[in-house]
Amino acid sequence: MVVDIALKKVVDDSYKITIDKLKDIHFDTKTAIITNPTVAGFHLRYLLNAISAKELYVITVPDGEEYKNQETIDMILENLFNHRFNRNSLLIAFGGGVIGDMTGYAASIYQRGIDFIQIPTTLLSQVDASVGGKTGMNNTYGKNLVGAFHQPNAVYIDPYFLSTLPSREFAAGIAEIVKMAVTFDDEFFSWLEENDLNNTTLLAEAVKKSVEIKADVVSKDEKEKGLRAALNYGHTFAHVIENETEYKTYLHGEAVSIGMVMANALALKLELLTEHEAMRIKNILLKYRLPVSYDVKDIESFYEAFYLDKKSSDTMITFILPEHIGGVKITDEVDSAVVKDVLRSFKAL
Ligand code: NAD
Ligand code: GLY
């Protein structure tokens, strides 16, 4: 016997990304701000002057990628149960991408899913992580391997928060801006070459442009069935580097910077990208003092780790390779020997 269950859905998950100074926002529901001591120390007072809620709690979790795990998620959920949060309650992610990913994930599973809002405070989270609804956490197998697509109800990007960002974190955010340009917009890339994002007006323009690119990609391919995978340019390599170095040596954006240079080397070998284009990309990364080299100690284990990438299958590894500046090729047809040759060339650096 077969029983049909009709579940055809029309869901409108649209939301607005506001880039402006935070002011006079009220949430008419029980609300928890999820943050960490660093962000709270710098900016919680500012936030509490700008937002209010029917009932407002602050839940503070430890700061760091190494805490983006089940233990921290459990701690967030426990707090929500203790405060009797219900299905109408709201979470606010107030921090960088780590807080954003974990808050979104907690929101996606608490009582099978509640609303959340992103208030990103790092450059990386303003231009990338806060937009698009990818949420999750790391485990011993690798990075972001557990999670859910759960769109925020709104994103509020206030440039003021960036004033306290350490320079390494700033550069890490630039890496994701470069990623957006290389993958989707050659004009934006040329603009990045000509302009210095240490200027706050120009930085605001770059944030807006990056958010527009990301919003457009996510609107076309929310669940990463095709186009959105392009935003993983550099990440296939970066996730292995982050895991190998136990999240201690490189910031995510720094690993992405190295990963983009590695992807470019592979694209060069496959004659997709020219030497000149690869050099233009590397030069922008160097302009912001981002790392561009990595010592691949064990080629076989680095290669094997690609199989844990979410885009890979049991037998195939998917690479996102630039074909030119402003366009990428998504391919699972790269000979392992060619990839290993490229990895070997990094061993010597
Ligand atoms: P992060 O969240 O760890 O923040 C970096 C550091 O800056 C932290 O110590 C944080 O406390 C501190 N900080 C945050 N705001 C600050 C401020 N205004 N002033 C001073 N210090 C501040 O790192 P990140 O780079 O923002 O995010 C990286 C994470 O984002 C990774 O886990 C990555 O996987 C994830 N990510 C997710 C997506 C997505 O689409 N969901 C996209 C890209 C990256
Ligand atoms: N950061 C990649 C994505 O959101 O798809």
Side-chain angles (χ1 to χ4, degrees), residues 249-295:
T249 313
Y250 299 105
L251 302 176
H252 175 67
E254 291 174 334
V256 168
S257 171
I258 300 169
M260 289 192 286
V261 173
M262 287 179 143
N264 293 353
L266 185 53
L268 205 60
K269 192 131 195 131
L270 297 170
E271 296 182 354
L272 293 170
L273 197 68
T274 65
E275 193 100 42
H276 176 65
E277 288 167 321
M279 193 47 77
R280 284 175 68 196
I281 299 170
K282 194 170 178 175
N283 282 343
I284 289 207
L285 301 171
L286 288 171
K287 178 163 119 183
Y288 294 98
R289 296 173 197 279
L290 281 158
V292 292
S293 64
Y294 180 72
D295 182 13

Side-chain angles (χ1 to χ4, degrees), residues 88-295:
N88 298 319
S89 304
L90 175 76
L91 303 189
I92 296 177
F94 183 50
V98 168
I99 289 288
D101 280 10
M102 281 197 296
T103 304
Y105 182 51
S108 79
I109 56 176
Y110 186 76
Q111 297 192 358
R112 300 210 173 90
I114 62 172
D115 289 348
F116 87 112
I117 277 174
Q118 290 269 17
I119 305 187
T121 60
T122 61
L123 182 58
L124 186 142
S125 57
Q126 294 198 344
V127 298
D128 190 352
S130 64
V131 176
K134 276 191 184 175
T135 74
M137 61 177 197
N138 311 326
N139 66 12
T140 50
Y141 293 91
K143 204 171 144 60
N144 297 333
L145 291 180
V146 176
F149 284 99
H150 188 59
Q151 296 295 339
N153 291 61
V155 182
Y156 294 100
I157 296 174
D158 184 336
Y160 167 74
F161 294 127
L162 302 183
S163 59
T164 54
L165 204 59
S167 54
R168 255 184 92 190
E169 298 291 350
F170 176 77
I174 301 276
E176 299 281 15
I177 294 177
V178 172
K179 173 192 81 176
M180 302 287 179
V182 174
T183 45
F184 287 107
D185 196 326
D186 59 337
E187 268 181 42
F188 183 37
F189 186 87
S190 301
W191 183 88
L192 288 174
E193 287 182 305
E194 286 153 21
N195 291 287
D196 182 357
L197 299 188
N198 288 299
N199 173 308
T200 46
T201 311
L202 297 173
L203 180 64
E205 272 183 56
V207 170
K208 178 171 173 282
K209 186 72 202 167
S210 303
V211 167
E212 281 170 354
I213 292 172
K214 178 128 190 206
D216 182 53
V217 173
V218 172
S219 306
K220 289 175 178 149
D221 178 23
E222 182 196 357
K223 299 271 170 78
E224 201 171 301
K225 304 281 185 222
L227 184 73
R228 185 168 179 175
L231 293 176
N232 288 309
Y233 163 51
H235 288 59
T236 317
F237 297 89
H239 288 168
V240 180
I241 293 170
E242 286 181 278
N243 211 28
E244 271 196 1
T245 52
E246 298 174 340
Y247 308 100
K248 288 185 184 129
T249 313
Y250 299 105
L251 302 176
H252 175 67
E254 291 174 334
V256 168
S257 171
I258 300 169
M260 289 192 286
V261 173
M262 287 179 143
N264 293 353
L266 185 53
L268 205 60
K269 192 131 195 131
L270 297 170
E271 296 182 354
L272 293 170
L273 197 68
T274 65
E275 193 100 42
H276 176 65
E277 288 167 321
M279 193 47 77
R280 284 175 68 196
I281 299 170
K282 194 170 178 175
N283 282 343
I284 289 207
L285 301 171
L286 288 171
K287 178 163 119 183
Y288 294 98
R289 296 173 197 279
L290 281 158
V292 292
S293 64
Y294 180 72
D295 182 13

